[in-house]
Amino acid sequence: AMPLRSKAGNTLTCGVFGLLTGLWISDTQTGLRGLPACALEAFSNLEGDRYEYEINMLIKANELKMPVEEVSIETIYIDNNSSSHFNGLKDGLKIYRLMFRQAGRFCASSIISAVIDYVLFILCHYAVHLTAVPAQIIARVVSSLTNYTLNSRMVFGRKATPQSFAKYYLLAACILACSCGGLKLLTLIHVPELLAKIIVDAVLYVVSYRVQRGKIFDK
């Protein structure tokens, strides 16, 4: 019975939040929340207020692996929720800024690493006159180490450890294998190669972010 505008915005926000965090809930903006005493310390130092604070609570709970249980309630909307103080543009931008803050840093880390990879390959291949394979290996080793360091410190705020280092490169190997397999599978069902690569890379990029966030650099 939710008004169309509220339902559309809430569905979109819940979907994006689920993709980014793996926490799938039906309403990210309900202000009716019960908190156990053990959660108060973690939530008392969060930034923001109103809708920003509500989304920050869910992000923090997800980071700390606090279980979230939903209990259905009946809500009553008066005059199609016209009295709501939610500003679709202003408050929506604040919410999405918080949701994409970490993902944005992850994207920046990927771009920086890709630039390093290409620049090193060009220098090694054309300036130092190495053949393509050694130049590619050198470029990829340096760029992947850069990416690992940036992700651990800048993106996820964790110290580099031998365990996370090993997990990171195991993930990289799995991503490479899945990329080759996915590309082969899509081309077999007559998906154009360029489109197939875009689809596979996009899916694996989200998977890589989620795995690094939840399994490699988790709190």
Side-chain angles (χ1 to χ4, degrees):
M2 188 182 292
L4 181 60
R5 186 189 69 158
S6 301
K7 188 174 185 64
N10 187 62
T11 301
L12 177 62
T13 302
C14 290
V16 172
F17 186 80
L19 284 173
L20 291 174
T21 65
L23 178 58
W24 298 93
I25 54 179
S26 59
D27 189 358
T28 61
Q29 292 304 305
T30 175
L32 182 59
R33 298 178 176 180
L35 308 176
C38 61
L40 298 181
E41 182 178 358
F43 292 149
S44 63
N45 296 318
L46 294 179
E47 63 177 271
D49 51 25
R50 301 177 69 234
Y51 305 105
E52 292 174 274
Y53 184 78
E54 289 174 354
I55 201 72
N56 261 337
M57 287 176 65
L58 294 175
I59 292 172
K60 189 67 174 180
N62 182 251
E63 287 180 352
L64 299 180
K65 292 183 171 57
M66 291 182 180
V68 177
E69 180 182 356
E70 289 190 297
V71 179
S72 297
I73 61 170
E74 181 182 359
T75 55
I76 300 173
Y77 293 96
I78 300 174
D79 194 19
N80 206 36
N81 206 26
S82 60
S83 62
S84 172
H85 296 289
F86 184 83
N87 184 303
L89 180 61
K90 181 180 177 182
D91 292 320
L93 286 174
K94 289 179 179 179
I95 290 170
Y96 277 83
R97 176 184 65 84
L98 293 172
M99 287 199 299
F100 279 98
R101 180 168 53 187
Q102 189 179 75
R105 292 197 296 264
F106 184 80
C107 184
S109 170
S110 301
I111 293 172
I112 291 170
S113 303
V115 170
I116 290 173
D117 187 82
Y118 279 103
V119 169
L120 276 178
F121 177 80
I122 291 170
L123 288 175
C124 292
H125 189 50
Y126 295 101
V128 186
H129 303 296
L130 293 176
T131 58
V133 173
Q136 174 76 339
I137 291 174
I138 292 172
R140 190 53 52 87
V141 167
V142 175
S143 65
S144 64
L145 286 172
T146 302
N147 185 251
Y148 168 78
T149 303
L150 289 175
N151 286 354
S152 63
R153 296 181 182 180
M154 182 184 79
V155 179
F156 301 106
R158 312 303 297 162
K159 291 183 179 180
T161 64
Q163 291 83 359
S164 65
F165 185 83
K167 289 179 181 179
Y168 174 86
Y169 279 97
L170 177 61
L171 173 65
C174 292
I175 291 290
L176 178 61
C178 290
S179 177
C180 296
L183 190 59
K184 181 68 174 177
L185 179 63
L186 290 181
T187 52
L188 283 176
I189 58 175
H190 308 296
V191 177
E193 287 186 353
L194 181 58
L195 178 59
K197 180 170 174 56
I198 292 173
I199 293 172
V200 170
D201 286 350
V203 171
L204 291 178
Y205 191 78
V206 175
V207 170
S208 177
Y209 170 72
R210 287 274 304 277
V211 172
Q212 289 188 54
R213 184 179 190 273
K215 302 297 182 182
I216 297 178
F217 300 109
D218 61 321
K219 294 185 184 298

